[in-house]
């Protein structure tokens, strides 16, 4: 049964609360768990926040982030575990495994599609753009005023899960909530810069080098970049700077399939795929022993950068032809 | 005197209206002029919309865009010229020059800083994130219902001028307006893809070339790009592909002031400024006869690319020093 007042009541009657978001924490998971944690502390509760995985550098600015314990749950008595933004218990990660095996009651607050949430108390609202939206309602229910610190966390939750109000999940209600959070005086430009805006110079230099390798197939539907070890070294870039590069071939008008070839060593290439509307890249990656989702997948292929590129592009073109029913040559 | 009811009254009593935004039209200029034009047509007015410059391909999806006449004002009687999103008459461009010399009364609706707007009827609200916000109020005042077509134009105006609700100009009120527009049922994800998602190949090629010119000042707070005519030609790019380039130097961690130098011809350079938190770029642009907002401004300076770059960077560094109270050298 999905019931926010029941979750609120369970929280209200508990004094020692353990709060947890999901593995590989993102803005919604962290912003939600921190807003709830800060709110409950304001109510005088004893709050322990645990993350199984480390906090990405990007989110170190979030108010309260220094109170998050990483990797282990302190051995002390708790009255309730509140699991935020997690549809299955496995999403809580390794650190929470012992707790899940104990008899500690669980409250689940989430916005992912889920027929059988795993708590004694559950509230799942799939229409919420972010779990942060639900936390706002819960805090209202608990009569916690939205301080600036809470507002920054809640705004981060919403703005990251909606891609800055651009994704399909963004509703009129989402903007109403943002309006309320901005009225608290949060520094929008500074937050946006921190979350979306800032890049080290090395990452722009890598982008320049990568764009120099940009190619588009004659049919205009496949675009790719390739990055060698020496190129990465020449600009002083590292792993995290490579991540977003696939968005550039993906951005090109008319391109359905974007690929990034990334040399791991002289005989091994990591290949990433993204498709826009039609091509099943999970299938394509599967042909090379990899996998993923329908619109985002990857694989690691033995061979030189040139060899792997030739093999993969051949398969991609085959798939494209099949997909389009022979319309393109 | 700045007076929206007076502008509304002037429009109300006019039957034949000429509407115009600024040269090099952007999302706010076009969205505002189209929303107003469609609204006035709904009221039964005869509306002529003219743009001195061509409409960027990016904005061809806007409802009513096919009714915009490019480059020339039809010779017919008008009762009123409504100039939208323009702080000075020159911003209307060449096509409007004959009209400005005539006795046609002018109504100015704008959100740029402006001590002396050039209309008989003026409404300037610098607190508005976009001129589109003012147009919403004007349409309410004129009792025009916000149809889906109007909502798409108004949303485009707001979302482009706020960088998807990320810039400092974004207020609680901006989100309240977005909430109202989304309640009209506009397809947010599709619009976002159209506005922010897709780029022609030439624009990525120009990005590569531009990133090759990226420089950062020794203090790490000023970053700039320069683009020559020959570079633009070499990649087959055009005006509209240059617009977003300033975001790249702006993105660099630690950079406060971003500048793009763009060679118009051998003796003329267009300079665009963006600042993040502190530097008043309206002041900086003003030193070279230009203007704009506190965080976004521009000017056109006589000289070669190298000459203008040296002059502007000198002034920028001076301003930076003053701004930081001598903390940086």
């Amino acid at each position: 049964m999905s019931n926010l007042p029941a979750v609120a009541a369970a929280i209200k009657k508990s004094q020692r609360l353990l709060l947890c978001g999901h593995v590989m924490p993102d803005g919604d998971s962290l912003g939600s768990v921190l807003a709830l944690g800060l709110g409950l502390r304001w109510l005088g509760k004893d709050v322990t926040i645990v993350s199984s995985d480390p906090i990405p550098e990007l989110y170190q600015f979030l108010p309260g982030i220094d109170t998050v314990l990483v990797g282990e749950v302190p051995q002390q008595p708790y009255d309730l575990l509140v699991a935020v933004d997690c549809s299955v218990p496995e999403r809580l990660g390794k650190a929470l495994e012992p707790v899940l095996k104990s008899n500690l009651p669980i409250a689940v607050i989430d916005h992912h599609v889920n027929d059988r949430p795993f708590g004694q108390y559950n509230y799942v609202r799939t229409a919420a753009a972010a779990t942060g939206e639900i936390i706002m309602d819960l805090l209202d229910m608990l009569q916690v005023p939205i301080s600036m610190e809470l507002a920054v966390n809640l705004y981060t939750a919403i703005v990251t899960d909606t891609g800055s109000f651009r994704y399909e999940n963004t509703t009129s209600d989402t903007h109403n909530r943002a309006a309320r959070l901005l009225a608290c005086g949060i520094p929008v430009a500074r937050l946006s810069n921190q979350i979306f805006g800032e890049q080290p110079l090395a990452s722009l230099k890598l982008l320049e080098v990568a764009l120099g390798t940009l190619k588009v197939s004659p049919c205009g539907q496949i675009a790719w970049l390739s990055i060698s070890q020496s190129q990465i070294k020449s600009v002083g870039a590292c792993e995290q700077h490579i991540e977003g590069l696939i968005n550039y071939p993906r951005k090109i008008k008319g391109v359905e399939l974007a690929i990034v070839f990334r040399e791991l060593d002289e005989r091994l290439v990591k290949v990433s795929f993204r498709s826009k509307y039609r091509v099943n890249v999970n299938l394509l990656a599967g042909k090379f022993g990899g996998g993923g989702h329908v619109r985002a997948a990857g694989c690691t292929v033995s061979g030189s950068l040139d060899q792997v590129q030739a093999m993969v592009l051949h398969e991609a073109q085959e798939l494209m032809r099949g997909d389009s029913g022979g319309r393109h040559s």
Side-chain angles (χ1 to χ4, degrees), chain A:
Chain A
M1 210 186 86
S2 193
N3 189 334
L4 192 55
V7 170
I11 288 174
K12 228 171 180 171
K13 73 170 190 210
S14 305
Q15 178 57 30
R16 300 162 302 183
L17 293 119
L18 177 62
L19 268 55
C20 185
H22 59 67
V23 288
M24 294 200 274
D26 59 14
D28 189 22
S29 175
L30 287 169
S32 293
V33 89
L34 286 169
L36 183 58
L38 291 168
L40 296 182
R41 282 188 191 125
W42 185 88
L43 285 174
K45 309 278 186 191
D46 301 322
V47 176
T48 305
I49 307 178
V50 172
S51 172
S52 282
D53 284 347
I55 312 301
E57 206 197 315
L58 171 61
Y59 296 115
Q60 294 292 352
F61 75 91
L62 288 174
I65 198 79
D66 50 314
T67 69
V68 178
L69 305 172
V70 172
E72 210 172 344
V73 177
Q75 293 236 352
Q76 61 191 47
Y78 300 103
D79 304 320
L80 183 70
L81 165 65
V82 186
V84 165
D85 205 32
C86 295
S87 51
V88 290
E90 293 73 31
R91 291 282 289 160
L92 294 169
K94 240 183 155 43
L96 272 288
E97 276 176 12
V99 178
L100 290 170
K101 281 180 195 149
S102 75
N103 290 324
L104 188 64
I106 303 171
V108 168
I109 303 167
D110 189 26
H111 73 132
H112 296 93
V113 179
N114 189 355
D115 292 335
R116 290 198 310 167
F118 58 97
Q120 277 75 49
Y121 313 95
N122 296 298
Y123 185 71
V124 178
R125 189 199 298 161
T126 54
T131 294
E133 293 191 3
I134 307 171
I135 300 293
M136 271 181 94
D137 291 350
L138 180 60
L139 292 168
D140 284 347
M141 218 170 256
L142 294 168
Q143 294 182 287
V144 175
I146 305 291
S147 68
M148 173 78 97
E149 291 189 328
L150 264 68
V152 166
N153 278 301
L154 294 168
Y155 180 81
T156 301
I158 293 172
V159 83
T160 53
D161 252 30
T162 59
S164 212
F165 309 97
R166 290 181 190 175
Y167 300 158
E168 226 165 24
N169 58 359
T170 309
T171 64
S172 188
D173 179 63
T174 309
H175 278 290
N176 280 326
R177 288 169 191 276
R180 185 175 160 202
L181 296 172
L182 262 70
C184 298
I186 59 171
V188 178
R190 200 177 282 269
L191 283 176
S192 305
N193 271 329
Q194 257 156 332
I195 298 169
F196 300 106
E198 303 228 308
Q199 285 184 355
L201 182 57
S203 129
L204 290 183
K205 284 295 173 190
L206 183 68
L207 175 60
E208 179 199 348
V209 168
L211 286 174
T213 73
L214 179 63
K215 298 267 183 342
V216 182
S217 65
C219 68
Q221 292 192 89
I222 310 176
W224 64 95
L225 300 173
S226 24
I227 306 146
S228 67
Q229 274 296 323
S230 65
Q231 286 171 325
I232 294 172
K233 275 179 205 146
S234 73
V235 297
C238 56
E239 190 61 45
Q240 70 199 69
H241 306 143
I242 297 162
E243 217 173 278
L245 288 179
I246 200 157
N247 288 319
Y248 289 87
R250 194 183 170 280
K251 269 183 191 184
I252 301 169
K253 221 171 172 167
V255 165
E256 165 62 20
L257 173 62
I259 314 178
V260 168
F261 298 94
R262 190 247 154 129
E263 187 187 52
L264 295 176
D265 63 39
E266 279 170 21
R267 297 165 162 277
L268 206 60
V269 177
K270 194 182 155 192
V271 190
S272 307
F273 302 100
R274 296 285 185 282
S275 67
K276 268 187 201 153
Y277 307 116
R278 302 185 315 272
V279 170
N280 184 341
V281 289
N282 186 33
L283 266 179
L284 185 54
K287 298 208 171 194
F288 298 95
H293 305 276
V294 178
R295 299 276 167 264
C299 53
T300 305
V301 185
S302 295
S304 72
L305 204 46
D306 284 350
Q307 287 167 339
V308 172
Q309 206 167 291
M311 281 193 297
V312 170
L313 288 172
H314 178 77
E315 280 297 336
Q317 264 147 351
E318 285 295 308
L319 191 72
M320 213 72 176
R321 252 194 290 276
D323 158 79
S324 60
R327 272 184 291 119
H328 311 279
S329 59

